[in-house]
């Protein structure tokens, strides 16, 4: 104070203004009371501001022993840092004391204390925390909470520290989570804590409850720290867009690197908000790679991310294309490893075979992409090239049935009626007609939007399947022993097919029988026509044969005496046959006589 007055050079100065004093008027009042010997009650709510004010006022040991800096440091080290609740309260109060709290290591020490206690064995916890409601009906009071501890019979859940840590500002939350990572906590718990924090500070990110939040009974209790520090849940102020961007960027940077540390649904929702808030491109790319690592867990609802750019499609198809590319790269790299076993195959998807992890993941992604294409195909601004590139991104082995892809193609043709014949053929090339089910073939055969060539291919494929079905049924009726394993597989496959396919199977069998009967009728008619044709051919040969052997009759023209015999030869053949023979012999005798 003496230096401030001296530097002002004002003789008539009667008022000193200290605007940059950390802690504000309350901290200055406590420091003044300390100077005049008035007893000051040090608590977790005022200790951080008073410690920073003492540093600002240079209340060191050089002036007097036991000065304010010494007393506040002792209280922080021996009282605050040994208490879970006081460490949270002090760290929360440091939000308005930057950069003093950072320079005095208050934030670091509180973060370390919280991290150590959060990583402690839940069985050894004996301090009060907000995440779990007490057994008593009434909410605890301040003086009852300070030294109270959980009941010995109560079981402390692993996520007991989520609610208390979630009241911190994002930069302090990052410091705590970083310290917890160093202590070696399980990455699943760290991911669950991040999801819990995002649900509280990013409205709309988590729509249907919290993925890893305490139960409804615990969340309904509004006692504990929230009564003292943050108030109730309804008292939280809405977060501005700038602060939301900072929160999203910070959460992306602290998500554990291990796969399945957070759900794919959370990553996609975070990615949606990142695109909306224009987060740094490097962080968005990193988040896209994380989604690609567990893309097989995604759902269609989370994948329908709007396109926030102007003059673009309704949904961000390019983003999904990049996610699919990251997934394929990840699958290729993990497929080369002999000991690949993902968390999703063992826990998220029960019954999946470990050996076919790559194939199962690609098949799930193929179904997801087919559903996504069906949804986005209704957008008239979606170009044919984007549709085709996304449909052909997966290898052919990823799809055992192309019904989903056919629905997407048909939906695109319906939404884009102005496509040329060449464009429709190009669009239909993305699907394989031989992989269509009987229901899809029946629908495609009557689909006027498909090119004629595709319809012919579908009909041919259907005919081949019908022939195979007839052959298989014949083998079944004959009681072939080699066919018996196929019967169980066929039944299992039928039970695993969608209900719509099972309902259409009865009508399909009727159609197969009808086609079989018509095919037999056509064969019979064909045989009849073949016989008739053979008969006509033989008759034709008989008629044409005398004409071919009558070349000798040209010799008759040399005899002028027999020219009149050409008229009415049909009447003379039967009655004057011997004369004819005699006339035939006469020239021969005449020839001999003349010679």
């Amino acid at each position: 104070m003496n230096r401030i007055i001296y530097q002002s050079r004002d003789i008539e100065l009667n008022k000193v203004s200290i605007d940059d004093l950390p802690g504000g008027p309350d901290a200055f009042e406590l420091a003044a009371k300390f100077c005049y010997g008035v007893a000051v009650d040090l608590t977790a709510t005022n200790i951080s501001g008073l410690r920073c004010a003492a540093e600002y006022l240079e209340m060191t040991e050089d002036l007097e022993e036991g000065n304010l800096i010494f007393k506040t440091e002792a209280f922080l080290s021996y009282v605050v840092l040994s208490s879970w609740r006081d460490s949270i309260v002090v760290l929360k109060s440091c939000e308005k004391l930057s950069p003093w709290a950072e320079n005095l290591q208050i934030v670091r020490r509180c973060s370390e204390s919280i991290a150590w206690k959060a990583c402690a064995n839940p069985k050894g916890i004996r301090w009060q925390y907000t995440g779990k409601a007490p057994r008593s009906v009434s909410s605890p009071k301040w003086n009852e909470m300070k030294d109270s501890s959980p009941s010995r019979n109560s079981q402390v859940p692993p996520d007991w520290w989520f609610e208390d840590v979630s009241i911190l500002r994002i930069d302090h939350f990052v410091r705590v989570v970083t310290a917890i990572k160093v202590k070696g906590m399980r990455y699943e718990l760290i991911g669950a804590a991040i999801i819990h924090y995002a649900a509280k500070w990013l409205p709309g990110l988590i729509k249907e409850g919290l993925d890893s939040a305490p139960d409804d009974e615990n969340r309904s209790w509004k006692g504990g720290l929230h009564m003292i520090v943050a108030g109730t849940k309804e008292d939280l102020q809405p977060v501005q867009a700038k602060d939301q961007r900072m929160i999203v960027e910070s959460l992306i940077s602290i998500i554990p690197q291990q796969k399945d540390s957070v759900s794919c649904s959370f990553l996609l929702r975070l990615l949606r908000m990142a695109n909306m808030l224009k987060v740094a491109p490097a962080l968005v790319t990193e988040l896209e790679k994380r989604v690609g690592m567990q893309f097989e867990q995604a759902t269609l609802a989370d994948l329908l991310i709007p396109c926030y750019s102007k003059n673009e499609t309704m949904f961000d198809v390019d983003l999904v294309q990049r996610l699919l590319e990251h997934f394929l790269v990840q699958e290729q790299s993990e497929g080369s490893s002999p000991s690949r076993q993902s968390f999703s195959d063992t826990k998220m998807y029960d019954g999946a075979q470990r050996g076919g992890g790559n194939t199962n993941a690609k098949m799930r992604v193929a179904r997801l992409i087919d559903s996504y294409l069906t949804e986005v195909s209704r957008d008239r601004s979606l170009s044919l090239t984007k549709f085709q590139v996304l449909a052909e991104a997966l290898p052919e082995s990823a799809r055992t049935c192309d019904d989903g892809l056919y629905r997407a193609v048909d939906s695109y043709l319906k939404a884009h009626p102005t496509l040329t014949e060449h464009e429709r053929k190009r669009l239909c090339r993305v699907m394989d007609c031989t992989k269509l089910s009987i229901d899809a073939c029946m629908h495609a055969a009557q689909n006027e939007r498909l090119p004629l060539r595709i319809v012919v291919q579908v009909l041919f494929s259907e005919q081949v399947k019908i022939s195979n079905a007839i052959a298989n049924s014949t083998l079944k009726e004959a009681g072939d022993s080699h066919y018996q394993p196929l019967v169980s597989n066929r039944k299992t496959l039928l039970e695993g097919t969608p209900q719509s396919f099972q309902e259409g199977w009865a009508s399909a069998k009727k159609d197969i029988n009808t086609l079989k009967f018509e095919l037999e009728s056509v064969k019979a008619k064909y045989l009849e026509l073949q016989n008739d044709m053979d008969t006509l051919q033989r008759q034709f040969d008989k008629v044409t044969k005398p004409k071919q052997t009558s070349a000798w009759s040209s010799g008759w023209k040399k005899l002028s005496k027999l020219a009149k015999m050409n008229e009415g030869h049909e009447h003379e053949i039967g009655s004057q046959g011997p004369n004819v023979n005699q006339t035939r012999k006469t020239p021969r005798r005449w020839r001999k006589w003349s010679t």
Side-chain angles (χ1 to χ4, degrees), residues 24-92:
D26 296 336
F28 182 79
E29 181 181 359
L30 293 176
K33 288 182 178 180
F34 178 80
C35 293
Y36 286 97
V38 180
V40 177
D41 187 13
L42 299 180
T43 62
T45 56
N46 62 17
I47 187 61
S48 58
L50 189 59
R51 172 66 183 89
C52 296
E55 188 72 21
Y56 179 89
L57 296 175
E58 301 177 5
M59 302 176 70
T60 61
E61 295 296 300
D62 297 338
L63 300 178
E64 183 179 357
E65 292 185 359
N67 210 337
L68 189 58
I69 292 179
F70 175 79
K71 291 187 177 298
T72 52
E73 274 292 332
F75 186 84
L76 279 172
S77 301
Y78 297 105
V79 179
V80 172
L81 298 181
S82 62
S83 169
W84 167 263
R85 172 195 156 278
D86 291 344
S87 299
I88 295 287
V89 173
V90 171
L91 188 56
K92 180 68 177 177

Side-chain angles (χ1 to χ4, degrees), residues 285-565:
T285 303
E286 180 65 24
L287 188 57
E288 291 176 358
K289 292 181 180 179
R290 292 301 309 274
V291 175
M293 291 174 59
Q294 47 199 101
F295 194 49
E296 69 275 10
Q297 303 174 11
T299 60
L300 178 61
D302 296 328
L303 206 59
L304 294 174
I305 300 176
C307 185
Y308 298 100
S309 302
K310 297 181 180 180
N311 301 325
E312 290 290 341
T313 57
M314 183 183 301
F315 298 103
D316 199 342
V317 182
D318 295 334
L319 172 61
V320 178
Q321 177 69 29
R322 294 194 300 270
L323 297 179
L324 184 56
E325 291 175 356
H326 291 314
F327 166 76
L328 293 175
V329 171
Q330 185 69 22
E331 285 294 313
Q332 184 177 4
S333 61
E334 292 186 357
S336 59
S337 176
S339 60
R340 179 186 182 271
Q341 180 182 353
S342 64
F343 176 79
S344 60
D345 290 333
T346 55
K347 294 185 178 181
M348 298 296 292
Y349 300 95
D350 296 332
Q353 297 180 355
R354 298 181 181 180
N358 282 331
T359 305
N360 293 335
K362 289 181 180 178
M363 292 175 63
R364 288 193 293 267
V365 171
R367 291 193 293 267
L368 175 64
I369 293 299
D370 293 345
S371 302
Y372 179 79
L373 287 173
T374 304
E375 290 294 329
V376 301
S377 61
R378 302 184 179 96
D379 186 7
R380 294 183 179 273
S381 59
L382 178 63
S383 64
L384 177 59
T385 302
K386 287 186 177 182
F387 184 94
Q388 185 178 8
V389 170
L390 185 58
E392 296 177 347
L394 285 169
E396 295 182 359
S397 60
R399 292 185 178 92
T400 57
C401 180
D402 277 8
D403 286 3
L405 200 55
Y406 168 71
R407 283 191 293 268
V409 169
D410 183 52
S411 178
Y412 189 89
L413 290 173
K414 188 183 299 183
H416 300 78
T418 59
L419 291 177
T420 62
E421 184 72 14
H422 174 71
E423 290 175 339
R424 287 190 295 151
K425 291 181 180 179
R426 175 186 167 191
L427 174 65
C428 293
R429 280 199 296 266
V430 302
M431 63 179 181
D432 187 359
C433 296
T434 61
K435 292 184 179 181
L436 296 179
S437 64
I438 296 179
D439 289 346
C441 289
M442 294 173 60
H443 185 276
Q446 304 174 1
N447 194 345
E448 298 179 354
R449 291 182 290 271
L450 294 177
L452 181 60
R453 183 176 181 180
I454 301 300
V455 175
V456 172
Q457 292 179 2
V458 170
L459 291 175
F460 177 77
S461 174
E462 184 179 7
Q463 182 64 30
V464 171
K465 291 179 181 179
I466 292 174
S467 302
N468 293 335
I470 294 173
N472 292 336
S473 61
T474 304
L475 291 175
K476 181 180 179 181
E477 293 174 358
D480 190 358
S481 60
H482 297 287
Y483 184 77
Q484 296 301 324
L486 297 177
V487 176
S488 59
N489 293 338
R490 182 180 176 185
K491 290 182 179 179
T492 305
L493 180 62
L494 184 60
E495 292 175 357
T497 54
Q499 186 65 24
S500 61
F501 290 175
Q502 297 182 16
E503 294 174 355
W505 177 247
S507 60
K509 290 179 66 177
K510 294 181 180 179
D511 295 336
I512 291 174
N513 294 330
T514 303
L515 291 173
K516 182 179 179 181
F517 176 76
E518 293 178 355
L519 182 60
E520 296 295 336
S521 301
V522 171
K523 288 181 179 180
K525 290 181 180 180
Y526 175 77
L527 292 176
E528 293 178 1
L529 292 175
Q530 186 70 27
N531 293 331
D532 294 341
M533 184 176 178
D534 293 339
T535 303
L536 292 174
Q537 183 68 31
R538 288 193 296 269
Q539 293 177 358
F540 179 76
D541 293 339
K542 290 179 181 180
V543 172
T544 57
K545 186 175 181 181
K547 294 182 180 180
Q548 295 174 357
T549 58
S550 61
W552 61 271
S553 61
S554 60
W556 290 92
K557 297 179 182 180
K558 298 180 181 179
L559 301 176
S560 59
K561 295 180 180 181
L562 301 176
K564 295 181 180 181
M565 294 181 65

Side-chain angles (χ1 to χ4, degrees), residues 17-288:
S17 177
I18 308 176
D19 298 330
D20 56 347
L21 177 68
D26 296 336
F28 182 79
E29 181 181 359
L30 293 176
K33 288 182 178 180
F34 178 80
C35 293
Y36 286 97
V38 180
V40 177
D41 187 13
L42 299 180
T43 62
T45 56
N46 62 17
I47 187 61
S48 58
L50 189 59
R51 172 66 183 89
C52 296
E55 188 72 21
Y56 179 89
L57 296 175
E58 301 177 5
M59 302 176 70
T60 61
E61 295 296 300
D62 297 338
L63 300 178
E64 183 179 357
E65 292 185 359
N67 210 337
L68 189 58
I69 292 179
F70 175 79
K71 291 187 177 298
T72 52
E73 274 292 332
F75 186 84
L76 279 172
S77 301
Y78 297 105
V79 179
V80 172
L81 298 181
S82 62
S83 169
W84 167 263
R85 172 195 156 278
D86 291 344
S87 299
I88 295 287
V89 173
V90 171
L91 188 56
K92 180 68 177 177
S93 64
C94 290
E95 295 177 358
K96 300 180 180 179
L97 299 175
S98 298
W100 289 90
E102 286 283 351
N103 297 334
L104 296 176
Q105 305 296 322
I106 299 177
V107 174
R108 183 191 62 80
R109 287 183 288 175
C110 290
S111 301
E112 291 287 339
S113 174
I114 295 172
W116 276 111
K117 293 176 176 60
C119 294
N121 191 345
K123 296 181 180 180
I125 293 177
R126 294 295 179 264
W127 54 78
Q128 187 65 41
Y129 55 90
T130 307
K132 185 176 177 60
R135 293 297 178 182
S136 60
V137 179
S138 59
S139 298
K141 297 181 181 180
W142 171 271
N143 54 2
E144 293 177 354
M145 282 183 59
K146 189 169 185 179
D147 297 328
S148 62
S149 62
S151 174
R152 294 182 181 271
N153 297 328
S154 63
Q155 184 177 1
V156 179
D159 57 356
W160 63 269
W161 51 277
F162 286 5
E163 189 67 20
D164 290 341
V165 174
S166 65
I167 68 173
L168 301 174
R169 199 173 62 184
I170 183 60
D171 54 341
H172 295 162
F173 177 77
V174 171
R175 295 286 294 270
V176 172
V177 171
T178 303
I180 289 176
K181 284 183 180 181
V182 175
K183 302 298 185 295
M185 178 171 284
R186 290 181 299 162
Y187 61 87
E188 303 99 309
L189 279 178
I190 297 176
I194 293 174
I195 295 176
H196 189 93
Y197 186 89
K200 182 181 292 292
W201 292 96
L202 298 175
L205 183 65
I206 308 297
K207 296 180 180 180
E208 299 178 357
L210 303 178
D211 294 346
S212 302
D215 53 16
D216 294 335
E217 180 184 1
N218 296 341
R219 285 189 286 135
S220 62
W221 182 65
K222 299 176 182 179
L225 297 179
H226 284 281
M227 296 181 62
I228 307 163
V229 180
T232 62
K233 185 177 181 180
E234 289 77 7
D235 295 335
L236 295 176
Q237 298 297 327
V239 184
Q240 301 298 327
K242 182 179 179 180
D243 297 333
Q244 286 186 346
R245 186 186 304 111
M246 182 184 300
I247 292 174
V248 171
E249 292 178 348
S250 301
L251 293 181
I252 294 174
S253 62
I254 63 174
I255 294 177
Q257 296 296 325
Q258 291 84 353
K259 184 180 179 180
D260 299 306
S261 58
V262 293
S263 64
C264 185
S265 176
F266 172 75
L267 292 175
L268 284 170
R269 294 182 183 183
L270 195 64
L271 181 59
R272 179 201 300 259
M273 184 165 287
N275 290 334
M276 181 179 62
L277 297 174
K278 307 297 181 183
V279 172
L283 292 174
V284 173
T285 303
E286 180 65 24
L287 188 57
E288 291 176 358

